[in-house]
Amino acid sequence: MARIAYILLCHKDPDAIIAQAERLTAVGDYIAIHFDASASAADFKRIRGALKNSPNVAFAKKRIKCGWGEWSLVQASLHAVQAAVEAFPRATHFYMLSGDCMAIKTAEYAHRFLDENDKDFIESHDFFASDWIKTGMKEDRLIYRHYFNERTQSKLFYAAYEAQKRLGLTREIPEDLQIMIGSQWWCLRRRTIEAILEFLRQRRDVVRFFSTTWIPDETFFQTLVRHLIPRSEIENRTLTFLMFSDYGMPVTFYNDHYDMLLSQDYLFARKISPEAHQLKQKLGELYASEGVAFQISNEGRNLHGFLTGRGRVGRRFAPRFWEAANTIGPDRDLYLVVCKKWHVAKRLIDQIASETNLPCIEYLFNEADAPLPDLGGIETTLVKRSRHRRAVMRLLFDHFDTDKLVICLDPASLDIVQDFCSDRARTHVLEVQCTYSDDYLVGHAHRVGLAGQNSPAATVERLLPTIRSDLAYESEQLRSAGLDRFHRLRETGDPAENVAAISKFLGVPKDTAQAILRLDYLFAD
């Protein structure tokens, strides 16, 4: 059976470290601790005193001062790994943790998972070919030598960097290595760890190279595992669940994240808030539990984005100046069919097209594969269409050689609705207001990734009021936006009122509006 040696890098909160070590070792696992040498000596003494009698706890023989982006983080990891290898000969796996991590599965589940998956779990992408690095320095992390800490010695860091660039002092990457990059939170088998340590004893040149690269904790183990282990034995993922906000900051988990965390396909989560006492207590009790069944749905990232994004739609960025300056054209009529149920809107515009011969386009700003004519390339991606939406509309009017055009929009796209309504063109808006059964909302949650097929029914049910409220909020925002030429078609509305709404929206006779609405399954799900 798998037995895990946890590699813990930490620098604060001795009580939490002691509790974490006691939890993880209570079920027979091990832990090797490196406590930052720049942290409180009294805190370290307290940790050692509390854990000194535990045979399943080891400490790195050498403590060093660690800094973000430095080789010191890798060196500290190696010190703790070496201590674990020597102290725990029965350990089968080595799992990197921080003091902010907590288990979101039982030890029983973790051991069984590792027994059934004889692989190394480490995120590793090609350094140069992947887009793992979104902004900032890339190749220069490797080809120049970085001796100073970018955060605490910024002037020296960039002075040394710029001097090397001016003098052309680049260096070669070890020719037999394919540099990889990924998250520093890994779980490696014993034979992999032993292979790495033996490799480092033989290849001091590799140690010298990485010791002066920038942020080597994202490249060192990732590169060596790929160099030493067959690709078929590597799972390119971390077993620690972590997310980042829109601003690149780690997402912190709180008390109300418990159910969501347990349903993710990971063994640990990072970061748990120090103030989330209830969550920490429940997760702490969970690890030693037996017979717990987990329903993996893996909707965490989509669900978090949905919940944190409520109320911000269309309000984060101001319109670009070139969008505000462009115009669709003062003599054109743009008809916006705004509906959350896309299949309903598509049926409606099919009817409009057949009864009026108006050109109609489906959700071109919401659906990546919306059918569009060739517009010279601007139509090829959703990003391009959204960035240049007025230009896209002008091209569509020109393509169809018309002054009247109908398109569909999702109610979440209020910023697009307002943008078009502020144009000199005459923009008409029809909100198609539908009813939403619980079954539909459950299906919607699955379609947009807020829930997985295996999400517990109770968890999904608790989510439904939030989704229903969000849909009502979008409708309310649309109605309260003060739009001219605004009309509403309601599933529960009086047929005569709906006919009148279509007639006014399109400016067509009532008999044409009646023909458009004669589809008896218009609102069917």
Side-chain angles (χ1 to χ4, degrees):
M1 182 184 77
R3 297 187 71 177
I4 306 169
Y6 291 103
I7 309 301
L8 177 63
L9 301 189
C10 49
H11 65 282
K12 62 180 181 179
D13 202 349
D15 290 335
I17 294 168
I18 293 167
Q20 187 178 44
E22 291 175 339
R23 279 193 305 268
L24 297 176
T25 58
V27 295
D29 287 324
Y30 312 101
I31 189 166
I33 300 172
H34 179 279
F35 192 74
D36 197 322
S38 61
S40 166
D43 285 349
F44 181 60
K45 183 178 180 180
R46 183 176 174 186
I47 295 167
R48 291 215 58 152
L51 300 173
K52 65 181 180 181
N53 294 324
S54 174
N56 287 15
V57 177
F59 290 87
K61 292 181 179 180
K62 184 177 181 180
R63 294 170 58 212
I64 61 174
K65 295 181 179 180
C66 297
W68 183 88
E70 292 181 6
W71 167 252
S72 55
L73 287 174
V74 177
Q75 187 64 71
S77 303
L78 290 172
H79 286 326
V81 165
Q82 188 65 57
V85 168
E86 295 174 2
F88 312 127
R90 297 181 63 189
T92 61
H93 294 76
F94 295 76
Y95 196 122
M96 176 66 71
L97 289 177
S98 76
D100 297 320
C101 298
M102 286 197 73
I104 56 175
K105 296 291 184 294
T106 61
E108 181 182 64
Y109 180 99
H111 295 156
R112 184 172 62 248
F113 177 89
L114 294 175
D115 283 337
E116 294 173 354
N117 296 273
D118 185 22
K119 291 186 176 183
D120 295 307
F121 290 85
I122 183 167
E123 189 178 46
S124 55
H125 307 279
D126 186 280
F127 186 92
F128 296 100
S130 73
D131 62 349
W132 203 85
I133 299 174
K134 302 296 184 185
T135 59
M137 192 183 296
K138 188 170 183 177
E139 182 185 28
D140 290 0
R141 290 191 188 190
L142 307 176
I143 64 173
Y144 296 109
R145 296 168 178 84
H146 302 280
Y147 299 103
F148 303 101
N149 186 292
E150 192 266 347
R151 291 191 174 181
T152 61
Q153 301 169 295
S154 178
K155 290 184 179 180
L156 290 173
F157 178 91
Y158 285 106
Y161 169 54
E162 293 297 337
Q164 291 177 79
K165 288 175 65 176
R166 286 196 305 272
L167 297 172
L169 299 178
T170 59
R171 60 174 175 175
E172 295 295 326
I173 297 169
E175 61 180 12
D176 60 328
L177 294 184
Q178 178 186 7
I179 305 299
M180 310 298 290
I181 190 167
S183 167
Q184 63 268 53
W185 311 111
W186 40 256
C187 177
L188 304 177
R189 297 167 297 176
R190 185 180 193 93
R191 60 180 177 270
T192 301
I193 287 291
E194 292 175 342
I196 290 173
L197 295 177
E198 178 60 28
F199 178 82
L200 296 178
R201 283 190 285 268
Q202 298 176 10
R203 295 290 302 274
R204 302 307 298 171
D205 62 308
V206 172
V207 175
R208 287 193 297 272
F209 172 77
F210 279 104
S211 66
T212 52
T213 61
W214 188 40
I215 321 182
D217 54 313
E218 293 180 349
T219 55
F220 179 78
F221 288 100
Q222 297 79 356
T223 298
L224 295 193
V225 171
R226 278 293 189 98
H227 182 70
L228 297 169
I229 305 301
R231 182 168 298 189
S232 60
E233 296 181 25
I234 301 172
E235 191 76 20
N236 189 4
R237 57 167 292 203
T238 175
L239 293 178
T240 298
F241 179 61
L242 65 159
M243 297 191 299
F244 292 89
S245 71
D246 293 351
Y247 306 101
M249 299 300 292
V251 169
T252 300
F253 299 112
Y254 296 93
N255 291 331
D256 56 351
H257 287 120
Y258 180 78
D259 289 334
M260 183 268 282
L261 290 175
L262 263 59
S263 65
Q264 305 313 303
D265 189 18
Y266 297 86
L267 303 184
F268 280 75
R270 183 180 187 273
K271 315 168 79 167
I272 307 300
S273 169
E275 289 77 37
H277 301 297
Q278 182 183 2
L279 176 61
K280 293 171 79 171
Q281 179 182 350
K282 293 172 72 175
L283 291 177
E285 294 169 353
L286 174 71
Y287 192 67
S289 302
E290 296 181 352
V292 179
F294 296 93
Q295 290 185 294
I296 306 300
S297 56
N298 234 25
E299 79 287 0
R301 288 182 172 83
N302 287 333
L303 180 58
H304 182 271
F306 165 72
L307 293 175
T308 56
R310 293 179 70 233
R312 299 188 302 177
V313 175
R315 281 176 263 163
R316 180 172 298 168
F317 301 110
R320 308 298 202 272
F321 75 91
W322 41 263
E323 288 183 329
N326 287 343
T327 179
I328 296 170
D331 299 322
R332 287 170 166 170
D333 289 275
L334 177 60
Y335 301 91
L336 309 180
V337 176
V338 184
C339 182
K340 197 68 182 181
K341 290 187 176 180
W342 292 8
H343 61 281
V344 173
K346 290 177 181 181
R347 289 172 189 160
L348 179 61
I349 66 169
D350 280 346
Q351 287 292 101
I352 292 173
S354 64
E355 297 295 334
T356 66
N357 291 322
L358 289 176
C360 298
I361 303 292
E362 296 177 1
Y363 288 85
L364 74 161
F365 297 112
N366 306 109
E367 195 170 24
D369 57 354
L372 289 168
D374 183 358
L375 301 177
I378 197 173
E379 81 290 348
T380 53
T381 68
L382 201 53
V383 172
K384 285 184 178 180
R385 291 177 228 156
S386 300
R387 183 179 299 156
H388 307 291
R389 51 187 176 241
R390 292 193 183 186
V392 169
M393 297 314 303
R394 288 201 311 274
L395 289 170
L396 285 170
F397 274 103
D398 292 341
H399 174 83
F400 290 109
D401 192 21
T402 182
D403 290 327
K404 297 179 183 291
L405 184 66
V406 183
I407 69 169
C408 300
L409 286 175
D410 190 281
S413 304
L414 180 61
D415 59 327
I416 298 179
V417 174
Q418 291 175 318
D419 183 30
F420 286 150
C421 287
S422 66
D423 190 84
R424 288 190 291 164
R426 293 181 294 272
T427 302
H428 313 258
V429 180
L430 176 72
E431 180 193 12
V432 182
Q433 193 176 67
C434 304
T435 60
Y436 305 103
S437 66
D438 285 352
D439 286 343
Y440 175 83
L441 294 180
V442 169
H444 176 73
H446 288 152
R447 284 189 294 275
V448 300
L450 298 178
Q453 294 301 321
N454 295 321
S455 295
T459 300
V460 178
E461 287 176 6
R462 287 197 296 271
L463 185 60
L464 295 188
T466 303
I467 299 175
R468 192 181 298 278
S469 174
D470 196 67
L471 300 183
Y473 174 79
E474 289 178 350
S475 179
E476 178 185 347
Q477 289 296 100
L478 186 64
R479 292 197 303 274
S480 62
L483 306 175
D484 294 333
R485 308 182 189 91
F486 177 80
H487 311 279
R488 187 163 46 152
L489 178 70
R490 295 185 299 154
E491 181 176 356
T492 58
D494 180 81
E497 293 178 354
N498 285 342
V499 167
I502 289 291
S503 177
K504 293 177 181 177
F505 170 61
L506 295 173
V508 297
K510 287 190 176 180
D511 58 344
T512 304
Q514 285 177 333
I516 292 170
L517 291 177
R518 67 187 172 192
L519 203 63
D520 55 4
Y521 57 89
L522 176 63
F523 290 99
D525 289 333

